[in-house]
Amino acid sequence: MTDNNPTRCGYVAIVGRPNVGKSTLLNHILGQKLAITSRKPQTTRHNMLGIKTEGDVQAIYVDTPGMHKANDKALNRYMNRNASAALKDVDVVIFVVDRTRWTDEDQLVLERVQYVSGPVILAVNKTDRLEEKADLIPHLQWLQEQLPNAEVVPISAQQGHNLEALEGLIAKHLPENEHFFPEDQITDRSSRFLAAELVREKIMRQLGAELPYQITVEIEEFKQQGHVLHIHALILVERDGQKKIIIGDKGERIKRIGSDARKDMEVLFDAKVMLNLWVKVKGGWSDDERALRSLGYGDL
């Protein structure tokens, strides 16, 4: 604690429907890539902490899966439960929405956020992409009417616009506390988890609409030998056809996935990385609660 400023520390949940830019926002606030991103909905599957310590303030961000209506599979139910659980026991909630777009899934999130007793900040993202800026003012007013106690902040997570104002508001709402984590720690997740997520991101980015979301990645080996990090990752799919798509013609696609993931891992882990990828078919894993638990999807 300095002479004038108390030490502040608390939890900040980032919530919203799929694909509004929650993970991009977290990465920009932290100043480095931690959460994986792609244009596909439901890229984020787990809650993950991103920790930012600046002077007297430590904000512990909880990046959540997008809340969505599909509840037909065990994996969907897991993601929705994770996102809803993040609203409890946090000090601040950031509800991220996309410009002037409003969907049924935004409404679903709104209905959960309305019951939050603590401070809520409505972050209106991607405002730099609005063709008609004049459309924003009435929409901001409408949003304010939906959540009268919320503070509304237009931002661009991608460009970093107005994030200082957002962080200033967050800091103001954090309680006086000693810091919970060392100041150089940026996440609660293991290196193995982050490696698996980077492989999954590259698959989702490269495959477009070709592959449904029934893929997951398991790290089978993660060991340092000298200056080199050896990582063996197993990509699980549900059908043989999906395996062929990931491997690609003469193995070209899996090579590209591995090359892109390795480059990001070398930056994240600050080490030379030898990455080996395998693809295996495990039918029905995304709707099998026991299989999901064994793959690290927590309590279902």
Side-chain angles (χ1 to χ4, degrees), residues 83-217:
S84 295
L87 292 172
K88 298 168 190 161
D89 305 324
V90 293
D91 301 290
V92 185
V93 171
I94 304 173
F95 176 12
V96 185
V97 296
D98 179 353
R99 289 165 284 184
T100 57
R101 291 181 185 166
W102 189 262
T103 69
D104 289 349
E105 288 178 326
D106 290 306
Q107 191 65 34
L108 175 76
V109 184
L110 174 67
E111 285 160 15
R112 307 265 169 93
V113 170
Q114 279 171 332
Y115 296 103
V116 170
S117 55
V120 175
I121 300 169
L122 248 168
V124 186
N125 193 22
K126 307 180 188 177
T127 49
D128 56 315
R129 296 193 207 161
L130 267 178
E131 287 176 20
E132 290 295 331
K133 300 286 187 218
D135 295 344
L136 188 59
I137 304 297
H139 187 64
L140 294 180
Q141 289 168 339
W142 181 82
L143 287 170
Q144 190 75 74
E145 286 162 16
Q146 308 312 301
L147 279 171
N149 296 324
E151 292 164 285
V152 181
V153 186
I155 62 163
S156 166
Q158 189 80 52
Q159 303 301 324
H161 293 165
N162 220 22
L163 296 193
E164 274 185 31
L166 177 64
E167 288 188 76
L169 272 181
I170 292 162
K172 187 179 79 178
H173 290 304
L174 293 177
E176 292 185 18
N177 264 331
E178 293 302 312
H179 293 173
F180 301 154
F181 293 93
E183 66 176 68
D184 58 348
Q185 187 171 343
I186 61 158
T187 186
D188 64 326
R189 290 292 189 169
S190 68
S191 297
R192 292 175 85 101
F193 172 87
L194 297 173
E197 288 286 271
L198 284 174
V199 174
R200 193 164 63 80
E201 175 190 67
K202 302 314 171 195
I203 296 167
M204 294 188 84
R205 285 188 166 201
Q206 289 202 22
L207 291 176
E210 291 174 67
L211 197 67
Y213 294 101
Q214 290 124 2
I215 53 163
T216 195
V217 179

Side-chain angles (χ1 to χ4, degrees), residues 213 240 273 290:
Y213 294 101
D240 280 323
V273 171
R290 193 156 60 177

Side-chain angles (χ1 to χ4, degrees), residues 111 115 138 266 278 286:
E111 285 160 15
Y115 296 103
E266 291 188 335
W278 287 270
S286 68

